[in-house]
Amino acid sequence: MMETKWAYLIHLLGWTLPVIAFQLVVLVRHYKERSGAVLKAVLPPAFIMGLYLSIADHLAISTGIWNFGEGKHLGVYLGVVPLEEVVFFLMTSVLVSLGLALFTGLVALLGEARAS
């Protein structure tokens, strides 16, 4: 078990970045020349949701609903929210958004296959 202030960020990036990289590779291979347009449609809402969740977290922490143990994160805050928590919300929103774009592409492929 990693007991360091870097643990949260290392684990977060360790499980999200490989999945996001895989999703991006599959997305580019599927959408080809439309990949840029798909990313422009998918990423802004993901970042908006990450921001929304960070604001909700800020309110929860500010009112004492929950907190984070000292020494368990880098000590960098956006408001009262640890940086790692903001990154978590952004990364998970991106994962979900890219996943939906890929699922939509898969549904379209299945529909085309049935029509043939």
Side-chain angles (χ1 to χ4, degrees):
M1 184 172 188
M2 190 184 321
E3 291 292 327
T4 171
K5 64 182 183 176
W6 290 91
Y8 188 170
L9 188 60
I10 290 168
H11 283 99
L12 174 63
L13 297 177
W15 71 264
T16 57
L17 290 179
V19 177
I20 289 172
F22 174 76
Q23 288 179 317
L24 288 172
V25 167
V26 173
L27 187 135
V28 167
R29 292 189 77 187
H30 173 72
Y31 288 104
K32 298 180 180 31
E33 65 278 345
R34 294 182 16 227
S35 297
V38 171
L39 290 173
K40 285 179 185 175
V42 167
L43 293 180
F47 287 113
I48 291 168
M49 284 309 303
L51 178 62
Y52 170 79
L53 293 168
S54 297
I55 292 169
D57 208 31
H58 175 85
L59 295 172
I61 294 167
S62 296
T63 58
I65 293 174
W66 61 73
N67 59 34
F68 294 89
E70 291 301 316
K72 301 295 183 185
H73 48 81
L74 294 175
V76 177
Y77 298 88
L78 297 174
V80 295
V81 182
L83 174 65
E84 298 90 338
E85 191 74 354
V86 173
V87 172
F88 169 79
F89 290 131
L90 292 172
M91 294 298 222
T92 53
S93 295
V94 167
L95 284 164
V96 170
S97 296
L98 291 175
L100 286 171
L102 293 170
F103 180 75
T104 302
L106 177 62
V107 169
L109 281 176
L110 293 173
E112 291 170 12
R114 286 186 183 157
S116 324

